[in-house]
Amino acid sequence: MFGEILREIVDQVPGAQAGVVMGADGILVENYLREGAGIEVQSAGVEFSSILGEVRRAAGQLDLGGVKDVVVLSDRRAILLKTINDEYFVALVLSPNGNHGRARFLLRMAVPRLRAEF
Amino acid sequence: MFGEILREIVDQVPGAQAGVVMGADGILVENYLREGAGIEVQSAGVEFSSILGEVRRAAGQLDLGGVKDVVVLSDRRAILLKTINDEYFVALVLSPNGNHGRARFLLRMAVPRLRAEF
């Protein structure tokens, strides 16, 4: 079912290239890539979980509460990370000029369904 | 002038609590806090630069190009980081239900002015 949910999101967002469900420990659970995405999912997932780990550490230091979203915009990609629960998160990779608003909305809508899968 | 620009942004964004110009090395350049923000700027800045450093490292690993924005949404705060140049960035701290769209827009508009100050 993860694959189905990821595919729905990726296919509905202009500029979306890949969707991944990951463990916070860097273990890949499921992924869906649009054709020609040019993304090495395994190594991307490891880096995404590393980013989330660092953000959670910093949030703990600053007493910010639980981390819900991390968004990174770079010259070549936009990356949206959304926590599903303490152990898992979903990541979406877009082109920099993809529709980020739509991506965030669909991710938010999908979280209860993703959470129910665990 | 940094203080002036930060004040303009913070005062124009509903829910904005603090604006900071930081070195990527964690050195605070300038800050503006709205009254009652309850933010310890020095330690927050160190954690923000630590997050940016980790995101840049990961972006380098994945060949994503230069990092422009990092957004963190937690239960108690929203944090927007925007790079000014390789060495400096600006951070905005908002309440979770602050107007993030307006904050991102004003930050983007301010970057050329901030860049010109260096």
Side-chain angles (χ1 to χ4, degrees):
Chain A
M1 284 299 292
F2 288 131
E4 181 72 12
I5 297 170
L6 291 173
R7 188 177 61 74
E8 276 178 35
I9 299 172
V10 171
D11 286 352
Q12 282 184 70
V13 175
Q17 299 167 329
V20 190
V21 173
M22 297 278 311
D25 54 5
I27 305 291
L28 188 69
V29 177
E30 185 63 87
N31 70 89
Y32 173 77
L33 276 80
R34 199 174 271 186
E35 209 167 321
I39 291 161
E40 215 287 86
V41 169
Q42 188 60 61
S43 53
V46 169
E47 298 302 339
F48 297 166
S49 61
S50 176
I51 289 171
L52 181 60
E54 169 61 17
V55 170
R56 279 179 160 162
R57 187 204 57 74
Q61 285 291 318
L62 299 173
D63 195 26
L64 302 185
V67 174
K68 297 197 285 192
D69 289 272
V70 180
V71 179
V72 173
L73 183 62
S74 82
D75 288 330
R76 284 197 276 281
R77 293 272 200 269
I79 296 160
L80 314 185
L81 312 179
K82 192 164 191 64
T83 54
I84 298 170
N85 55 34
D86 283 353
E87 286 171 73
Y88 294 94
F89 66 98
V90 54
L92 208 64
V93 180
L94 298 89
S95 64
N97 49 6
N99 190 332
H100 305 176
R102 187 169 174 80
R104 294 183 75 171
F105 174 76
L106 290 176
L107 268 187
R108 184 151 53 86
M109 292 297 106
V111 161
R113 289 167 66 202
L114 291 165
R115 204 170 276 154
E117 294 289 315
F118 286 99
Chain B
M1 282 298 293
F2 288 129
E4 181 73 13
I5 297 170
L6 291 173
R7 191 177 59 73
E8 276 179 34
I9 298 172
V10 171
D11 286 352
Q12 283 184 69
V13 175
Q17 298 168 328
V20 189
V21 174
M22 298 279 310
D25 54 4
I27 305 291
L28 188 70
V29 177
E30 185 64 87
N31 70 89
Y32 173 77
L33 275 78
R34 200 175 272 186
E35 210 166 322
I39 290 161
E40 215 288 84
V41 169
Q42 187 60 61
S43 52
V46 168
E47 298 301 340
F48 297 166
S49 62
S50 176
I51 290 171
L52 182 60
E54 170 60 17
V55 170
R56 280 179 159 162
R57 188 204 57 73
Q61 285 291 319
L62 298 173
D63 195 27
L64 301 185
V67 173
K68 297 197 285 193
D69 289 271
V70 180
V71 179
V72 173
L73 184 61
S74 82
D75 288 329
R76 284 197 276 279
R77 294 271 200 271
I79 296 160
L80 313 185
L81 311 179
K82 193 166 190 64
T83 54
I84 298 170
N85 56 34
D86 282 353
E87 285 171 72
Y88 295 94
F89 68 99
V90 55
L92 208 64
V93 180
L94 297 88
S95 65
N97 50 5
N99 190 332
H100 305 175
R102 187 170 174 82
R104 294 182 75 170
F105 175 75
L106 290 176
L107 267 186
R108 185 152 51 87
M109 292 296 106
V111 162
R113 288 166 66 201
L114 291 165
R115 204 169 275 153
E117 293 289 315
F118 285 99

